[in-house]
């Protein structure tokens, strides 16, 4: 990602704060924008949350920018970000709003996204081909987000100290398998059954996410892993259940006109390229 669109213009989510307009050619910090007067907004709901930073300047809060800060990762996949007047600057550029909005961390907010895939098959188990280009059709699991109603990867925030691949698997279980409401008796055998599958993820993308919650001083970054069920017999055959902040879940065909939350389409397209390049005729 080298530009952002979804975090520019319009109202900031869950607020009545209007973003200051940022034309395409004024996104970059290196372009002068004299008129730029973004409003400052940090949602009161994040105050005191265990996952949120204090305000900048509060006694005892000495963030280590661009580094591992205890268990909190304040390093960016985008390289060194700058600090201006004590505040980290969005590495892509202006968003029309300062503060943290609803994001917990100043600077990068690290998430992990699982991209769980299978080939689309007909009732006889034969892989279906795209009529236009005769290529096999790849499907991935998407969830419907409660907050925006958009379809998205079932990702989530990395807990302090948590391994990022573990975040991706945990979020899949919570949002696409509804593991949070399972008893241990239900969960343990299921987790055990898919242990091997979820231990073989391919790292696909790490970087900025054009998320509508981003601000000039706080933004989403993710690491995305692909878990591919080539035979369609493991997770590909599982009955999905939406859970936690997801209100729907489905397998969706990955096509060029797919419409997903934030910049998840970019991530999914990278996965599509990878799986297609590994596809062999013996798979069908
Ligand atoms: C996206 O926000 C990330 O790519 C990830 O999917 C998600 C994490 O936030 P929550 O789902 O926890 O709100 O930008
Ligand atoms: Mg979640
Ligand atoms: Mg989530």
């Amino acid at each position: 990602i080298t530009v952002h669109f979804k975090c520019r213009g319009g109202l900031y989510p869950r607020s009545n704060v209007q973003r200051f307009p940022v034309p395409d050619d004024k996104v970059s910090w290196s372009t002068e924008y004299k008129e730029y007067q973004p409003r400052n907004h940090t949602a009161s709901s994040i105050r005191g949350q265990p996952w949120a930073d204090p305000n900048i300047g509060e006694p005892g809060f000495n963030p280590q920018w661009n580094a591992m800060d205890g268990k909190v990762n304040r390093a960016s996949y985008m390289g060194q970000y700058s600090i201006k007047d004590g505040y980290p600057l969005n590495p892509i550029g202006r968003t029309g709003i300062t503060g943290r909005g609803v994001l917990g961390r100043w600077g990068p907010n690290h998430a992990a996204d699982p991209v769980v895939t299978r080939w689309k098959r007909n009732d006889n188990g034969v892989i279906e081909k795209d009529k236009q280009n005769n290529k096999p059709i790849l499907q991935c699991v998407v969830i419907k987000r409660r907050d925006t109603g958009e379809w998205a990867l079932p990702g989530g925030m990395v807990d302090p100290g948590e391994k990022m691949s573990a975040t991706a698997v945990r979020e899949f279980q919570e949002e696409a398998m509804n593991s949070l409401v399972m008893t241990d008796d239900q969960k343990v055998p299921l987790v055990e059954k898919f242990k091997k599958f979820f231990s073989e993820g391919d790292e696909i993308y790490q970087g900025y996410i054009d998320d509508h919650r981003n601000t000039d001083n706080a933004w989403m970054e993710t690491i995305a892993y692909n878990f591919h069920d080539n035979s369609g017999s493991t997770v590909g055959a599982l009955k999905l259940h939406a859970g936690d902040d997801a209100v729907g879940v489905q397998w969706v065909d990955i096509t060029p006109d797919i419409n997903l939350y934030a910049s998840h389409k970019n991530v999914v397209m990278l996965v599509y390229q990878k799986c297609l390049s590994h596809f062999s005729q013996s798979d069908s």
Side-chain angles (χ1 to χ4, degrees):
I1 296 255
T2 52
V3 278
H4 55 206
F5 303 96
K6 298 206 175 173
C7 59
R8 264 202 282 153
L11 283 181
Y12 188 83
R14 284 178 261 166
S15 81
N16 50 21
V17 182
Q18 191 73 38
R19 290 181 189 264
F20 197 89
V22 181
D24 289 354
D25 62 344
K26 294 287 196 313
V27 171
S28 169
W29 295 113
S30 54
T31 313
E32 201 178 34
Y33 190 8
K34 282 216 180 74
E35 304 79 23
Y36 189 55
Q37 274 188 339
R39 278 181 62 186
N40 182 271
H41 172 59
T42 296
S44 53
S45 58
I46 72 171
R47 257 213 93 75
Q49 295 289 348
W51 42 265
D53 288 335
N55 278 331
I56 284 174
E58 262 177 52
F61 181 47
N62 302 305
Q64 304 300 301
W65 304 124
N66 286 297
M68 234 12 237
D69 183 2
K71 286 187 166 177
V72 179
N73 183 7
R74 299 192 195 277
S76 168
Y77 297 123
M78 310 295 289
Q80 291 269 127
Y81 52 86
S82 339
I83 308 297
K84 190 167 172 250
D85 306 327
Y87 290 81
L89 282 190
N90 186 310
I92 299 293
R94 298 181 178 96
T95 66
I97 197 166
T98 63
R100 263 177 299 169
V102 294
L103 294 177
R105 305 286 174 201
W106 296 100
N109 286 249
H110 285 280
D113 284 287
V115 189
V116 173
T117 52
R118 68 176 185 194
W119 300 110
K120 186 178 195 172
R121 291 167 195 268
N122 68 15
D123 291 344
N124 300 320
V126 179
I127 295 179
E128 292 193 31
K129 299 271 170 72
D130 183 312
K131 291 195 176 56
Q132 312 270 304
N133 59 18
N134 203 36
K135 293 200 167 116
I137 299 173
L138 191 71
Q139 299 185 309
C140 74
V141 174
V142 288
I143 55 99
K144 193 179 171 87
R145 292 182 64 100
R146 189 192 298 276
D147 54 357
T148 69
E150 290 166 283
W151 291 96
L153 291 172
M157 303 292 185
V158 179
D159 290 338
E162 188 179 31
K163 246 180 90 179
M164 291 177 293
S165 54
T167 308
V169 176
R170 175 177 58 73
E171 290 288 340
F172 185 84
Q173 290 167 348
E174 291 176 4
E175 299 187 2
M177 293 167 65
N178 202 11
S179 65
L180 288 175
V181 305
M182 287 182 195
T183 61
D184 278 353
D185 286 359
Q186 296 169 306
K187 198 163 106 183
V188 172
L190 208 56
V191 167
E192 205 48 46
K193 186 172 170 197
F194 297 121
K195 206 176 192 155
K196 182 162 181 292
F197 179 79
F198 282 120
S199 68
E200 293 167 349
D202 267 353
E203 209 180 293
I204 292 293
Y205 174 80
Q206 37 182 49
Y208 188 85
I209 287 283
D210 182 10
D211 192 290
H212 69 146
R213 295 169 290 190
N214 293 351
T215 72
D216 285 2
N217 309 121
W219 60 91
M220 294 295 315
E221 296 196 7
T222 202
I223 179 160
Y225 298 89
N226 176 219
F227 303 95
H228 179 58
D229 182 0
N230 202 47
S231 68
S233 61
T234 59
V235 172
L238 178 73
K239 179 136 178 49
L240 302 170
H241 292 282
D244 200 24
D245 283 342
V247 292
V249 62
Q250 64 172 348
W251 288 95
V252 69
D253 296 357
I254 301 177
T255 61
D257 57 355
I258 194 169
N259 190 7
L260 296 174
Y261 174 80
S263 46
H264 289 179
K265 178 179 177 172
N266 294 16
V267 176
V268 162
M269 282 309 181
L270 291 173
V271 171
Y272 174 72
Q273 295 306 338
K274 184 214 94 178
C275 288
L276 207 62
S277 70
H278 290 187
F279 180 81
S280 63
Q281 246 12 66
S282 60
D283 290 333
S284 47

